[in-house]
Amino acid sequence: MEGYSYLNNADSGYIDALYEEYTQNPLSIDPGWRKFFEGFEFASNLNGKTREAIRGAAVSGNVEKEALVWKLINAYRERAHLLSDTNPIRQRRNRHPHLDLSDFDLAETDLETKFQGGRLLGLENSSLAEIISHLQNLYCKSIGVEFMHITNKEERDWFKQRYESTADKINFPLEKCKRILAKLNEAVVFESFLSTKYVGQKRFSLEGGETTIPALDAIINKSSELGVEEIIIGMAHRGRLNVLANIMCKTYEYIFSEFEGNQPKDVTMGDGDVKYHLGFSSTVQTEQGNNVYLKLAANPSHLEAVDSVVEGFARCKADLIYDEDYKKVLPVLIHGDAALAGQGVVYEIAQMSQLPGYYTGGTIHFVINNQIGFTTDWDDARSSTYSTGVAMVTESPVFHVNGDDAEAVIYCVEMAAEYRMKFHKDVYIDMVCYRRHGHNEADEPKYTQPALYNIISTHPNPREVYTQALIQRGEIEAELAKNMEIQFKSLLQDRLNMVKQQPIPYTPQAPEVDWLSFRKATPEDFVESPDTSVSLETIKKITDALTFIPDNIHPIKKAIDELARRKTSLDNNALPWAMGELLAYGSLLLEGNDIRMSGQDVIRGTFSHRHAEIWDEQTGESYCNLNFIQKEQSKFRIFNSLLSEYAVLGFEYGYSVTHPQGLSLWEAQFGDFSNGAQVMIDQFISSAESKWQRMSGIVLLLPHGYEGQGAEHSSARPERFLDMAAELNMIIANCTTPANFFHLLRRQMKWPFRKPLVVFTPKSLLRHPLAVSPIEDFTNAKFKEVIGDKYVTKSKVKRILFCSGKVYYDLLAKQQADARKDVAIIRVEQLFPMPAEQIEAVTKLYPKAECVWVQEEPKNMGAWTYWLRRPEHLNWRLVSRKASASPAVGFSKAHQAQQIELVEKAFAEI
Ligand SMILES: Cc1ncc(C[n+]2csc(CCOP(=O)(O)OP(=O)(O)O)c2C)c(N)n1
């Protein structure tokens, strides 16, 4: 060690300099120091504590061994979670943490040697044995933490400091212990009540994971203390009823009435849903006496589908109620371990979490990790070590914690809440527990896990475990446990006697009051559309804004030309598609409706028509014209999305149900990609009003049309949407004119109800010279469900071609070229609700004509079978592509030939 004697005088400046040199070129410094620096995470730790320890190490003359000890300390921080005692019912599998002395070239003989490295942990003059024991207390008890993957130094240091200074001495005051026990009491009472009263009924009990209840209670209390005013919870079936009763304060009475399967008196409200899918809102009072708004989102069976909806909810709440202060609203997602590991949408929401368009200030993810998914063991359920593997995407910390150690769980969730409020990022708590019964209460778990369930059947519940822990801890705690036991019994008795609970009365928030003013739609609402016209002054005003370029923005020439064309189109009285769309947005903004839109590349528009923002060529700064129409106006929020459909559509849907006076739009890059979000369409958009009485005015813009782009970029699969259409659940449209599109969008906000709108939007029509509208169609018209034919001679008409969307222009070209006054072309602009009366009126105009439905799509796709559902249309004839497996051909020549043949057939001699 003589070689290091000069280190005796090492001062902190010298160490800093040496370290700097090491980072530049590790080989340039003394090998002893090199080893030393390699040994621990020096870069993030050059603080007083480490400098002191380094000096101490230098003085000790034991630098090389010190380096090994430091390496060991760091390794515990990195990998001791693999050893921690987090599993309440079985031994953890050996995950090879490599934390033995031999892994660090240390030996038993070193155990009694004092090492300066202890100072890193706040230990003075400690032997290696003491250091290891301290590390094991911190990192290998009921909590295992993953945080060393966080590259942000401030975050990592905060975590380390906060955790290492407290985790080995969780010492809650008695009052807090009392609250934990009270919450465990409630959780256990609820399940035992239901099991007595509703034997064998499915309730997806929380048993085995009851600590979830005190954990959620602690999240609410801690977050509220740190400034959260509202919490939006998304969760699946497991423990949902317990959460509703004991966290959301939904009364037992209410829950049981649903348990009995009672249908609401008002059956016009829809088909309803099973009890463990329903949503709920309440106000609860925290420990400190603050009121917090709680929302549990209604969700479908599809696990994790609700996640992005909750995020959209939370974002909208923050935008609308809390002035974009995302700290005020906290999303909490409760996951099952199998679902969290297996569902891809979880990755999508992780990727969204820090993006400007989807940021919600960080989500707390709480995993009820009962170590099983239905009948599937974890080793068939994931490749990652933990179900929380996705946390690495966002470099989020993860707490793995033993669900039988209630205080450890509370410690973790409180620290997680602090982390979220400090760093505004996602954080995960993986509470390892077990499932007392089968997947549901009628299910036999021993078919597949007999040994495990032998263990579980004798394992005491978390309330009993905590009661025992308190009894063993000391006299006062034992007294508390005894009292709480008495309270537990009387609570159970109260519940059995149905003694009434008294929740805090719920005062609806402003947007909820708005929702209350809406009514359900009736078929009469669709006979004629409301007036959605605007004045010429309004059009001019919006166009002025749309063509304005501020002094500080110097767009490229092409963009300048695009803006100029907006003005010219007005001068020429021929407004193209983009103007129809932008004028709809502009006019709604002036009328008090916020607009939010997202999707892939929506700002410019995939087909370069929208140009909702313009960019400065030099600075890259952008300007959104629609936000500067006039001083007092609503907000236009538009975001290019990440390359996701499922989560992004869910997010926009969540936003739409939160903001009744806002228009929320999602655009697919091509309509076909919407099938990546099929769960959102099936489970939420088309059915939520019927299942959960939740309206949404969301708009799906789905580029559609046969233009020779092949199998994937032709069809948005209208047949799927039409298959789902019933009971006025949504609007399905395919417009042919910019003005009609304008009215369609505006109508969304003018109705005294809300309906999702699915629009098949054009690609080639965006620039088609005939797909333009005169100003009059904006100022003196409304949405036309059906557009008749003014060209034909009424008495001569022998055939009516009904069609929808872009194919109209192909048919029109043929009609005009051949001067076919005997073939009328009728555009059905709204497919659903079917404008039956208007169609009937048209057929009466031409009583001798045959009716033909013309579609570009193959026979087994498009709207054909939808038409056939109506008896009046059974004698219609079809002109379409032949039934096909793939929506379109891949060769452009074949496409052209098909298109010509289609049009020829439509006009073939009669
Ligand atoms: C997307 C989806 N696929 C399949 C199912 C059927 N299913 C219901 S519960 C379940 C197991 C869920 O396990 P886990 O996520 O661990 O939650 P637990 O039920 O154990 O609480 C499955 C596969 C579903 N509901 N959703």
Side-chain angles (χ1 to χ4, degrees):
M1 282 300 129
E2 281 101 287
Y4 304 117
S5 55
Y6 62 92
L7 298 179
N8 292 358
N9 302 318
D11 65 16
S12 56
Y14 174 74
I15 290 162
D16 288 0
L18 199 62
Y19 179 66
E20 183 57 30
E21 216 178 311
Y22 165 78
T23 55
Q24 301 294 329
N25 179 8
L27 293 177
S28 69
I29 67 163
D30 177 276
W33 275 113
R34 188 160 65 237
K35 250 194 185 168
F36 195 80
F37 288 142
E38 281 164 5
F40 67 101
E41 198 202 5
F42 194 80
S44 65
N45 272 311
L46 202 53
N47 54 28
K49 211 155 85 175
T50 35
R51 278 199 195 95
E52 223 175 277
I54 291 171
R55 257 198 305 278
V59 172
S60 76
N62 202 9
V63 171
E64 280 181 16
K65 271 267 163 74
E66 280 284 352
L68 299 176
V69 172
W70 289 36
K71 225 177 199 171
L72 175 142
I73 293 172
N74 229 30
Y76 263 82
R77 288 170 174 154
E78 268 168 9
R79 301 194 296 277
H81 56 83
L82 296 171
L83 273 182
S84 52
D85 182 21
T86 48
N87 197 323
I89 47 165
R90 51 184 163 184
Q91 280 279 316
R92 290 193 65 185
R93 102 180 15 174
N94 183 358
R95 300 245 183 219
H96 307 289
H98 294 293
L99 291 175
D100 295 333
L101 288 176
S102 56
D103 290 309
F104 305 93
D105 283 339
L106 291 163
E108 297 273 324
T109 47
D110 295 314
L111 281 173
E112 295 316 314
T113 312
K114 308 264 187 202
F115 284 97
Q116 295 296 319
R119 288 174 190 259
L120 298 177
L121 299 160
L123 303 176
E124 292 288 331
N125 207 22
S126 304
S127 66
L128 179 57
E130 286 164 335
I131 291 171
I132 292 176
S133 153
H134 184 73
L135 284 168
Q136 286 180 343
N137 275 337
L138 277 174
Y139 287 110
C140 303
K141 289 279 170 70
S142 297
I143 305 172
V145 279
E146 290 181 273
F147 70 98
M148 291 293 275
H149 57 284
I150 303 174
T151 48
N152 179 301
K153 171 177 157 45
E154 189 199 346
E155 261 180 59
R156 197 175 55 244
D157 283 355
W158 178 85
F159 195 100
K160 189 188 301 172
Q161 160 65 20
R162 167 77 172 76
Y163 186 78
E164 289 188 350
S165 59
T166 52
D168 60 335
K169 34 188 167 301
I170 302 170
N171 196 4
F172 291 144
L174 211 58
E175 273 310 298
K176 192 155 179 162
C177 302
K178 201 167 157 185
R179 185 153 181 125
I180 296 171
L181 200 47
K183 283 287 156 191
L184 279 173
N185 274 353
E186 287 172 12
V188 172
V189 162
F190 182 80
E191 299 296 350
S192 54
F193 176 90
L194 283 183
S195 68
T196 336
K197 202 160 152 81
Y198 301 98
V199 183
Q201 268 220 42
K202 271 195 210 176
R203 67 192 142 95
F204 297 107
S205 101
L206 188 56
E207 285 161 277
E210 288 98 329
T211 315
T212 303
I213 298 299
L216 290 176
D217 180 60
I219 290 175
I220 295 166
N221 286 321
K222 178 53 83 181
S223 303
S224 155
E225 192 187 311
L226 299 173
V228 166
E229 293 183 23
E230 180 158 0
I231 299 179
I232 321 281
I233 303 175
M235 74 180 296
H237 50 285
R238 176 81 48 221
R240 192 175 173 98
L241 299 178
N242 208 320
V243 169
L244 279 164
N246 293 318
I247 295 295
M248 309 288 300
C249 302
K250 187 170 182 175
T251 61
Y252 271 44
E253 206 180 352
Y254 207 126
I255 293 173
F256 301 147
S257 143
E258 285 163 6
F259 233 97
E260 314 267 352
N262 292 340
Q263 199 174 354
K265 286 196 190 76
D266 179 4
V267 284
T268 61
M269 288 309 279
D271 294 335
D273 200 358
V274 289
K275 54 195 171 281
Y276 37 82
H277 287 168
L278 304 173
F280 195 67
S281 300
S282 62
T283 312
V284 296
Q285 200 167 55
T286 65
E287 257 175 326
Q288 303 85 19
N290 302 332
N291 277 1
V292 176
Y293 272 104
L294 289 187
K295 291 245 166 316
L296 178 67
N299 74 303
S301 192
H302 291 55
L303 296 167
E304 307 293 345
V306 79
D307 297 1
S308 64
V309 178
V310 165
E311 299 296 334
F313 249 62
R315 171 71 179 231
C316 187
K317 284 290 179 83
D319 285 351
L320 203 57
I321 302 177
Y322 303 102
D323 206 15
E324 302 188 3
D325 182 353
Y326 301 107
K327 294 192 293 298
K328 294 274 167 60
V329 188
L330 167 68
V332 174
L333 293 177
I334 303 173
H335 310 271
D337 48 316
L340 180 67
Q343 290 295 301
V345 70
V346 167
Y347 178 86
E348 294 182 29
I349 60 150
Q351 283 294 3
M352 300 174 110
S353 65
Q354 291 294 314
L355 302 181
Y358 308 93
Y359 176 77
T360 53
T363 297
I364 296 185
H365 298 265
F366 186 86
V367 190
I368 304 177
N369 179 355
N370 57 23
Q371 311 185 53
I372 195 165
F374 210 140
T375 66
T376 303
D377 273 323
W378 77 60
D379 37 10
D380 288 325
R382 60 177 190 259
S383 297
S384 56
T385 302
Y386 296 111
S387 64
T388 50
V390 72
M392 301 301 133
V393 173
T394 43
E395 295 194 3
S396 292
V398 186
F399 297 87
H400 305 282
V401 57
N402 190 318
D404 265 2
D405 187 341
E407 292 189 5
V409 174
I410 303 308
Y411 172 87
C412 292
V413 297
E414 288 186 343
M415 188 170 155
E418 280 176 41
Y419 171 85
R420 186 266 177 183
M421 293 308 277
K422 200 166 169 52
F423 298 106
H424 318 301
K425 276 177 60 184
D426 286 18
V427 53
Y428 293 74
I429 303 110
D430 172 24
M431 186 186 81
V432 188
C433 52
Y434 55 93
R435 192 185 69 191
R436 165 93 40 217
H437 307 285
H439 173 57
N440 59 57
E441 292 61 36
D443 201 39
E444 174 55 81
K446 286 193 180 173
Y447 282 134
T448 47
Q449 278 82 11
L452 177 66
Y453 273 83
N454 279 338
I455 302 170
I456 291 175
S457 63
T458 57
H459 193 83
N461 70 40
R463 188 191 77 87
E464 288 159 345
V465 174
Y466 189 44
T467 309
Q468 280 310 313
L470 288 173
I471 289 170
Q472 276 162 21
R473 206 185 284 171
E475 246 172 63
I476 305 176
E477 286 89 347
E479 187 61 25
L480 168 69
K482 220 168 87 196
N483 287 340
M484 295 301 282
E485 187 70 28
I486 297 167
Q487 273 186 31
F488 169 71
K489 294 208 168 108
S490 97
L491 186 67
L492 184 59
Q493 202 50 51
D494 276 359
R495 293 294 178 252
L496 287 168
N497 297 339
M498 293 295 273
V499 170
K500 293 238 174 1
Q501 293 157 286
Q502 297 212 307
I504 302 175
Y506 182 74
T507 320
Q509 295 167 302
E512 289 167 331
V513 174
D514 271 354
W515 276 122
L516 293 173
S517 71
F518 287 124
R519 62 166 172 81
K520 275 188 79 70
T522 67
E524 289 70 49
D525 290 313
F526 297 96
V527 173
E528 203 181 331
S529 282
D531 182 4
T532 42
S533 61
V534 296
S535 69
L536 180 59
E537 292 73 58
T538 304
I539 291 186
K540 284 186 173 159
K541 187 179 201 165
I542 301 167
T543 309
D544 281 347
L546 287 174
T547 49
F548 179 74
I549 301 174
D551 288 345
N552 61 329
I553 301 283
H554 305 95
I556 60 162
K557 165 101 179 33
K558 273 185 164 178
I560 297 172
D561 293 347
E562 286 285 348
L563 264 58
R565 271 196 285 277
R566 292 171 175 174
K567 180 79 173 58
T568 329
S569 73
L570 194 64
D571 296 341
N572 294 343
N573 196 20
L575 302 171
W577 203 271
M579 280 299 274
E581 181 180 340
L582 295 168
L583 287 172
Y585 300 151
S587 56
L588 288 172
L589 293 168
L590 294 179
E591 290 163 16
N593 301 111
D594 288 332
I595 295 175
R596 179 184 154 102
M597 178 179 213
S598 90
Q600 289 146 30
D601 308 292
V602 290
I603 301 180
R604 188 200 73 176
T606 297
F607 312 105
S608 204
H609 80 292
R610 187 170 292 120
H611 299 283
E613 289 179 17
I614 45 173
W615 278 265
D616 183 272
E617 213 177 339
Q618 296 299 327
T619 63
E621 201 182 321
S622 72
Y623 175 79
C624 179
N625 302 66
L626 280 169
N627 272 323
F628 300 95
I629 307 170
Q630 67 180 33
K631 221 169 179 190
E632 291 292 314
Q633 66 161 86
S634 293
K635 199 150 184 182
F636 185 69
R637 296 180 172 96
I638 185 162
F639 301 98
N640 286 341
S641 76
L642 65 159
L643 214 164
S644 136
E645 284 80 24
Y646 187 177
V648 173
L649 181 55
F651 191 98
E652 297 309 332
Y653 171 79
Y655 204 97
S656 75
V657 292
T658 314
H659 196 352
Q661 301 300 353
L663 184 68
S664 300
L665 304 103
W666 173 72
E667 183 173 66
Q669 188 119 66
F670 280 87
D672 357 16
F673 295 120
S674 65
N675 59 10
Q678 199 65 46
V679 175
M680 297 314 312
I681 296 161
D682 294 355
Q683 265 55 48
F684 290 87
I685 292 166
S686 65
S687 55
E689 188 178 348
S690 174
K691 291 191 294 190
W692 309 318
Q693 292 82 54
R694 292 301 300 244
M695 290 188 205
S696 157
I698 190 166
V699 179
L700 275 60
L701 302 179
L702 308 179
H704 170 83
Y706 282 62
E707 280 135 357
Q709 293 191 76
E712 264 73 59
H713 294 343
S714 299
S715 178
R717 313 298 297 238
E719 61 278 6
R720 299 223 176 107
F721 292 92
L722 292 167
D723 257 5
M724 272 181 245
E727 300 183 308
L728 309 177
N729 61 343
M730 53 187 168
I731 314 295
I732 304 175
N734 191 355
C735 302
T736 55
T737 73
N740 223 23
F741 185 47
F742 164 89
H743 292 295
L744 179 70
L745 291 173
R746 284 180 51 74
R747 192 179 67 167
Q748 282 299 97
M749 292 286 102
K750 297 300 154 199
W751 272 326
F753 51 82
R754 294 288 177 259
K755 287 286 162 196
L757 165 64
V758 179
V759 201
F760 303 110
T761 52
K763 294 169 284 170
S764 60
L765 293 197
L766 296 173
R767 289 176 186 80
H768 194 294
L770 293 180
V772 291
S773 299
I775 297 169
E776 193 191 63
D777 283 2
F778 294 81
T779 55
N780 190 19
K782 50 184 160 186
F783 178 70
K784 296 188 181 95
E785 291 80 3
V786 174
I787 303 181
D789 191 330
K790 290 193 180 136
Y791 176 73
V792 289
T793 309
K794 202 171 141 196
S795 57
K796 285 192 181 163
V797 171
K798 289 191 233 144
R799 179 179 297 161
I800 314 170
L801 301 178
F802 289 95
C803 65
S804 195
K806 178 224 134 200
V807 71
Y808 163 73
Y809 288 96
D810 298 330
L811 297 173
L812 178 70
K814 175 78 176 162
Q815 183 199 42
Q816 304 287 307
D818 297 354
R820 295 290 296 264
K821 298 264 182 188
D822 61 334
V823 180
I825 311 171
I826 306 300
R827 289 172 269 175
V828 183
E829 305 272 300
Q830 176 179 295
L831 290 161
F832 184 83
M834 191 186 281
E837 285 180 25
Q838 295 185 40
I839 290 169
E840 213 175 299
V842 170
T843 51
K844 281 196 181 132
L845 268 183
Y846 314 112
K848 291 198 199 108
E850 67 158 339
C851 295
V852 178
W853 174 251
V854 186
Q855 65 178 29
E856 296 182 293
E857 300 86 0
K859 184 177 178 181
N860 54 327
M861 299 173 194
W864 174 233
T865 50
Y866 165 72
W867 286 112
L868 292 183
R869 249 175 267 160
R870 216 178 133 81
E872 287 85 342
H873 302 148
L874 283 175
N875 60 351
W876 283 24
R877 206 156 58 74
L878 170 71
V879 171
S880 73
R881 286 180 164 77
K882 68 174 174 51
S884 311
S886 158
V889 287
F891 313 100
S892 62
K893 291 243 165 73
H895 159 78
Q896 279 162 19
Q898 283 185 349
Q899 202 72 4
I900 291 167
E901 190 192 337
L902 186 89
V903 174
E904 290 292 336
K905 263 199 210 158
F907 284 91
E909 275 315 312
I910 297 162

